[in-house]
Amino acid sequence: MSALDKQLRSQLGRCQWCQRLLVIGNITRDHLHPRIRQQRETHSNDYVLACQSCNTGRGALSIGSSRFMRWIKGVVNGRDPVERAEAIRQRRWRGAQ
């Protein structure tokens, strides 16, 4: 059994973030600790499986950050992950002006 199969079984075939069923062709590896923030090699236990929308929407949000918490709350409540991320980014830039 491959590592991907093991991870898929451990997550019951669902996206880590939105909990929708993962479909072949829409499965991505989402790093728990965004690679952009790391200076070391990625370890095999540093990822979860996510749908393309959630992986794209989460981007480089760090787990536990206030922006991540706002994002995940919207995703769990059924909002589109990419649109939710964009709304959070827009609010961030409006506040900086």
Side-chain angles (χ1 to χ4, degrees), residues 25-40:
N26 192 28
I27 300 173
T28 63
R29 282 184 174 180
D30 189 10
H31 289 86
L32 293 172
H33 305 285
R35 289 185 300 171
I36 195 167
R37 303 197 194 296
Q38 293 180 347
Q39 299 298 320
R40 58 181 172 77

Side-chain angles (χ1 to χ4, degrees), residues 27-66:
I27 300 173
T28 63
R29 282 184 174 180
D30 189 10
H31 289 86
L32 293 172
H33 305 285
R35 289 185 300 171
I36 195 167
R37 303 197 194 296
Q38 293 180 347
Q39 299 298 320
R40 58 181 172 77
E41 290 185 29
T42 302
H43 297 288
S44 61
N45 61 351
D46 183 41
Y47 72 90
V48 293
L49 300 180
C51 65
Q52 183 68 46
S53 295
C54 284
N55 196 345
T56 301
R58 180 172 168 249
L61 293 177
S62 295
I63 295 175
S65 70
S66 60

Side-chain angles (χ1 to χ4, degrees), residues 2 5-6 9 40 43 52 59 63 69 89 92 97:
S2 72
D5 289 332
K6 288 178 185 177
R9 284 178 186 255
R40 58 181 172 77
H43 297 288
Q52 183 68 46
I63 295 175
M69 298 309 286
R89 277 192 288 277
R92 178 180 176 207
Q97 294 176 350

Side-chain angles (χ1 to χ4, degrees), residues 2-21:
S2 72
L4 178 66
D5 289 332
K6 288 178 185 177
Q7 186 70 32
L8 195 57
R9 284 178 186 255
S10 74
Q11 290 183 212
L12 304 175
R14 296 187 177 274
C15 171
Q16 176 71 25
W17 310 119
C18 68
Q19 295 300 305
R20 287 182 238 156
L21 284 174

